[in-house]
């Protein structure tokens, strides 16, 4: 069952993989954050290189997500912290249709797939949220071997505007296996069917030619 809507402050790092000190600095600046997750590129990213997509020439090397119960944020503080960290920051309305099996202080054993996308041309804010949050979500869960799923509709950005940030957790077996990713096994027919269904549904929401994908390892800090 999906958790209630929350809000997330998402920092994206492009020049290099962030250190834990960067995450702790952001947490000190936002002590009201309820949960914090740090994603970093490492050997798991290399293992899952087959999934990497970089059509825009901007591929994140790290991601820090802070979760809040409030629907407002000190935006200037967020921009200042992002500048200090050498990151971009995005304020998002988030949902968690599937909570990843990750407790505070733990490192996820598989990978987190981060997809930063621009919406399909002509899609309004209302249509984007309705299709993505209500219609597409079950398709994504049914067609992939997903262990955790978070959706983030971007409300405000410090740099170039994104429309959405998807965070999906997968077992390490899916890092370099199409069947493990889409069918949870060796069923090639199921895999091909799931790819077709997922692609059709995804194209209702996002512009595939303006969507970057990278796998990382996730650490839950709080």
């Amino acid at each position: 069952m999906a958790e209630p809507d929350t809000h997330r402050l998402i920092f994206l790092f492009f020049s290099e993989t962030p250190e834990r000190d960067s995450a702790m600095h952001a947490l000190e600046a936002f002590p009201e954050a309820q949960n914090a997750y740090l994603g970093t590129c490492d050997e798991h990213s290399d293992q899952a290189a087959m999934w990497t997509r970089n059509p825009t020439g901007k591929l994140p090397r790290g991601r820090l997500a802070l979760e809040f119960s409030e629907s407002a944020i000190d935006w200037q503080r967020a921009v200042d912290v992002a500048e200090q960290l050498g990151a971009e920051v995005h304020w998002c309305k988030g949902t968690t249709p599937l909570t990843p099996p990750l407790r505070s202080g733990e490192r996820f054993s598989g990978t987190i797939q981060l997809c930063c996308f621009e919406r399909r041309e002509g899609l309004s804010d209302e249509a984007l949220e309705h299709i993505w949050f209500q219609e597409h979500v079950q398709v994504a869960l049914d067609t992939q071997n997903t262990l955790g799923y978070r959706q983030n509709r971007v409300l405000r950005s410090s740099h170039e505007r994104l429309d959405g940030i998807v965070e999906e957790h997968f077992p390490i077996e899916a890092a370099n296996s199409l069947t493990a990713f889409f069918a949870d096994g060796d069923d090639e027919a199921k895999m091909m069917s799931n790819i077709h269904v997922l692609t059709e549904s995804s194209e209702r929401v996002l512009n595939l030619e303006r969507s970057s994908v990278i796998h990382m390892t996730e650490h839950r800090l709080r």
Side-chain angles (χ1 to χ4, degrees), residues 20-163:
R20 187 182 178 89
D21 288 348
S22 297
M24 299 316 295
H25 176 74
L27 279 171
E28 290 171 2
F30 291 95
E32 67 272 29
Q34 297 175 313
N35 301 303
Y37 303 90
L38 178 65
T40 55
C41 287
D42 59 7
E43 66 277 5
H44 283 180
S45 306
D46 296 335
Q47 187 173 344
M50 64 181 288
W51 304 110
T52 301
R53 298 184 72 254
N54 188 20
T56 65
K58 285 189 66 176
L59 194 64
R61 298 294 303 165
R63 181 281 273 124
L64 173 64
L66 307 182
E67 290 186 340
F68 301 83
S69 58
E70 300 87 356
S71 59
I73 195 74
D74 185 338
W75 179 244
Q76 188 56 54
R77 191 192 334 165
V79 172
D80 290 344
V81 170
E83 184 175 353
Q84 293 165 11
L85 300 180
E88 299 183 4
V89 65
H90 305 272
W91 178 239
C92 308
K93 176 182 178 182
T95 67
T96 307
L98 182 61
T99 302
L102 194 61
R103 294 179 294 185
S104 179
E106 289 185 341
R107 174 183 186 264
F108 185 60
S109 60
T111 66
I112 179 171
Q113 176 177 275
L114 188 74
C115 173
C116 302
F117 72 84
E118 297 178 20
R119 74 183 73 188
R120 180 174 61 81
E121 185 176 356
L123 205 62
S124 67
D125 289 346
E126 294 75 16
L128 169 63
E129 189 167 315
H130 176 78
I131 296 172
W132 185 24
F133 283 11
Q134 298 185 39
E135 297 179 3
H136 173 74
V137 59
Q138 195 59 50
V139 174
L141 295 176
D142 289 345
T143 57
Q144 302 175 107
N145 188 12
T146 312
L147 302 179
Y149 186 44
R150 305 189 195 106
Q151 299 166 293
N152 302 284
R153 185 171 77 80
V154 178
L155 305 177
R156 194 170 186 178
S157 298
S158 65
H159 290 67
E160 295 180 26
R161 175 66 183 266
L162 292 172
D163 291 305

